[in-house]
Amino acid sequence: MPFLPHTPATTSSAARATGRRLLVVGAAVPLMLSTVFAGSAFAHGSTIDPASRNYGCWERWGDDFQNPDMATEDPMCWQAWQADSTAMWNWNGLYRENVGGDHQAAIPDGQLCSAGNTAGGRYAALNTPGEWKTTAVDNDFTVTVHDQALHGADYFRVYVTEQGFDPVTEELGWGDLELLADTGVVEPGEGRPSDGEALNGVSIDIDVSAPGRSGHHIVYMIWQASHYDQVFYACSDVSFPGN
């Protein structure tokens, strides 16, 4: 809140009104800044289908994030909201800079879903194994990544966990993943335009084939943006046909 000098008792009503307006504006500035941070001026993106863990939690609960029913209906999202709610409000900002293409060196095993606990650990709760909500997919499916700010990409890479990995009890490590798609260069602005809520950029569809998988798996997406050495990461939980 901005410093306001002491107002003498003789101050006019007009001056008092001006002081009140300053107080209102001062109180609104943090809200305005947080709104801009989460909005298009700082927009980036994430996997929206199958939804990344933080995007899915925001999509399901953003309008009702204080509902105690989340604890029983969606317990992994509940623990994530309790740990750091800004991970969901900033679902489009899970990235690291200056990785230099060496993702495994930048991100330790067990921290893949938080991009190595980037942003001061804001996204750390996304690493927690458990019964994350899954999206049902076939063994041939499409991953959709949303590029809000039209960054384009040097590449999108999509990995899927090996059969036998258990997302409910095991932390995700690099050795658990198989690379199944690599787009190469995607030019800025390339993709399907979207005017969906909180999107307003373009969506890029990536075809993936994951034979031999059944049950709960993690789809791991790496997006090397083309505008800067800035890399976005996302964990999405899926359910393949079968047990």
Side-chain angles (χ1 to χ4, degrees):
M1 181 178 295
F3 173 78
L4 294 177
H6 175 69
T7 304
T10 56
T11 301
S12 68
S13 60
R16 289 195 297 272
T18 299
R20 286 194 296 270
R21 285 197 294 272
L22 286 171
L23 285 169
V24 170
V25 170
V29 166
L31 177 60
M32 291 167 62
L33 289 176
S34 64
T35 302
V36 169
F37 181 79
S40 59
F42 290 86
H44 301 291
S46 184
T47 306
I48 60 171
D49 188 18
S52 63
R53 287 178 174 179
N54 48 327
Y55 177 76
C57 288
W58 171 80
E59 188 177 39
R60 291 192 295 276
W61 296 100
D63 291 337
D64 198 19
F65 67 95
Q66 293 179 315
N67 188 337
D69 291 343
M70 191 196 319
T72 53
E73 295 177 11
D74 202 348
M76 298 312 296
C77 278
W78 174 258
Q79 63 88 32
W81 278 101
Q82 303 313 300
D84 194 330
S85 62
T86 61
M88 275 59 72
W89 298 123
N90 294 283
W91 59 265
N92 55 9
L94 205 172
Y95 64 86
R96 291 191 72 88
E97 294 181 339
N98 303 314
V99 173
D102 195 348
H103 308 288
Q104 294 191 36
I107 302 176
D109 286 346
Q111 298 181 13
L112 274 67
C113 295
S114 68
N117 289 339
T118 192
R122 170 184 293 166
Y123 301 94
L126 304 180
N127 296 319
T128 307
E131 296 277 2
W132 290 91
K133 293 285 187 182
T134 62
T135 300
V137 297
D138 293 324
N139 292 100
D140 294 322
F141 66 105
T142 300
V143 169
T144 301
V145 180
H146 196 73
D147 179 357
Q148 288 184 307
L150 310 183
H151 290 319
D154 290 347
Y155 54 79
F156 293 94
R157 292 176 183 166
V158 178
Y159 301 75
V160 178
T161 48
E162 300 274 8
Q163 188 66 17
F165 175 79
D166 183 4
V168 176
T169 61
E170 298 179 67
E171 293 184 337
L172 181 63
W174 291 103
D176 302 313
L177 296 170
E178 181 183 4
L179 176 62
L180 295 178
D182 188 334
T183 65
V185 174
V186 175
E187 296 296 336
E190 183 178 341
R192 295 182 290 103
S194 175
D195 58 359
E197 181 182 3
L199 296 179
N200 303 314
V202 294
S203 293
I204 296 91
D205 295 326
I206 306 164
D207 292 331
V208 180
S209 181
R213 270 71 168 185
S214 62
H216 186 173
H217 280 265
I218 296 174
V219 175
Y220 191 63
M221 185 278 299
I222 298 177
W223 164 18
Q224 173 66 65
S226 60
H227 72 297
Y228 184 64
D229 188 1
Q230 189 176 70
V231 192
F232 296 82
Y233 302 88
C235 282
S236 302
D237 292 85
V238 299
S239 180
F240 290 104
N243 185 9

